[in-house]
Amino acid sequence: MAFPLPRGITPPEISFLAEMELVTIVPRQRLEGLELLGGPVNPLIPPRRTTVPLWLALLLKRQRRANILPPPWLHPESLSLILDIETRDQEYQHAFSPPPPLPGQPTIRQRNAGHSKSTARPRFTPEGQRYYPTPPFLPQNVATDQAFEDGEPPTLPFHWLEVGTMLLDVAGDDVIEPDQTRRLLKELREVRSAKIRSGVEVLDDAAGPGGGVALTGVGAMEIGEGRGFIGGVVDGLRKIGASKEQARREQLAESGASGGYDATQDYDDDMEF
């Protein structure tokens, strides 16, 4: 007998999708270009930087053919700033730090200044169909010379937990201060998990029409891990609400069958008389 599959996407499947994230490597050997489903990979010529999918970067790292350059957010200083935003900023006491903007979207500083015009540029398939790329096909984990623009706080990409964990496991020697980085990732995960659990308290009110809980900035793995817990809470609240509604209908049906007559009415009238 086959066991039923859990609802939604599982954590291993999320990690598999995260391996399509683009990262920056420095090849140590000359290799020919590759034609992949996600697009062609340029020839690897050391010490020239190049961008490849995460799964290929991990493979080359295990074979000692390349070094992986960590993304700007995977730095102790950047993670410390994000942790301060999550814990000390009053605006994000019950919310999550803002995610990086998609291509064409205004940055956080531009949104605060009132600039909301989108300049997204579409891409085209070989058949000529237009589309807009989304994670994991965005350069959110690519290493850059400049960590962040002036005045722009660091942000966590959609697959931050999966990418950070895999880079620390396979390419820990390429990460700056890996022990401290691992500790900060663990603290961020605990803080954000606590926010997800505390958000369940408002699900009773959000279960009504038009209600909901804002999960802007939550990562893919966080959604996958909290899906079962949040879904169970919502199902429990729906059952409680359905039982209350059924009890109310039965009470109305009983009072309607008796014509709204209360047996204690005569007794109260006699006492007053």
Side-chain angles (χ1 to χ4, degrees), residues 18-228:
E19 292 182 354
M20 294 299 295
E21 287 281 350
L22 300 177
V23 296
T24 304
I25 65 170
V26 178
R28 304 173 63 179
Q29 295 180 2
R30 182 183 294 269
L31 298 174
E32 298 296 332
L34 298 174
E35 291 291 338
L36 303 178
L37 293 177
V41 176
N42 297 326
L44 306 183
I45 304 174
R48 183 186 301 173
R49 295 183 181 183
T50 186
T51 301
V52 297
L54 178 59
W55 67 267
L56 180 57
L58 297 177
L59 177 62
L60 296 175
K61 177 63 180 179
R62 290 189 179 99
Q63 297 176 353
R64 299 181 180 180
R65 295 186 177 184
N67 291 333
I68 302 177
L69 297 179
W73 63 266
L74 194 62
H75 190 280
E77 182 179 356
S78 301
L79 294 176
S80 299
L81 291 175
I82 297 174
L83 186 60
D84 289 340
I85 294 174
E86 295 277 359
T87 55
R88 299 181 182 179
D89 197 332
Q90 296 295 330
E91 183 180 355
Y92 299 102
Q93 287 294 326
H94 302 287
F96 302 90
S97 57
L102 296 175
Q105 290 184 346
T107 62
I108 300 175
R109 183 177 59 180
Q110 292 174 345
R111 288 198 299 266
N112 295 334
H115 301 286
S116 59
K117 185 178 180 181
S118 176
T119 58
R121 295 182 179 180
R123 296 183 183 178
F124 296 88
T125 63
E127 293 77 15
Q129 297 179 353
R130 184 176 61 177
Y131 72 97
Y132 293 90
T134 58
F137 304 103
L138 292 177
Q140 297 179 348
N141 294 286
V142 174
T144 57
D145 296 331
Q146 184 178 1
F148 298 97
E149 298 181 2
D150 297 336
E152 288 294 331
T155 55
L156 292 176
F158 189 57
H159 290 286
W160 68 273
L161 185 56
E162 308 90 279
V163 174
T165 302
M166 285 186 279
L167 289 181
L168 286 172
D169 291 342
V170 179
D173 56 336
D174 293 334
V175 179
I176 300 175
E177 299 181 9
D179 295 335
Q180 184 179 0
T181 302
R182 189 177 288 107
R183 178 183 61 82
L184 290 172
L185 281 179
K186 181 179 179 181
E187 292 181 3
L188 266 175
R189 184 177 185 179
E190 293 174 353
V191 169
R192 293 164 67 92
S193 298
K195 288 184 179 182
I196 293 177
R197 291 193 299 268
S198 63
V200 177
E201 298 176 359
V202 301
L203 284 178
D204 194 5
D205 299 332
V213 178
L215 296 178
T216 303
V218 180
M221 186 62 71
E222 295 171 304
I223 295 177
E225 292 177 346
R227 183 188 299 272

Side-chain angles (χ1 to χ4, degrees), residues 222-246:
E222 295 171 304
I223 295 177
E225 292 177 346
R227 183 188 299 272
F229 173 71
I230 297 177
V233 172
V234 172
D235 290 341
L237 293 175
R238 287 176 178 173
K239 292 178 181 179
I240 293 174
S243 62
K244 290 182 179 180
E245 180 65 19
Q246 183 65 24

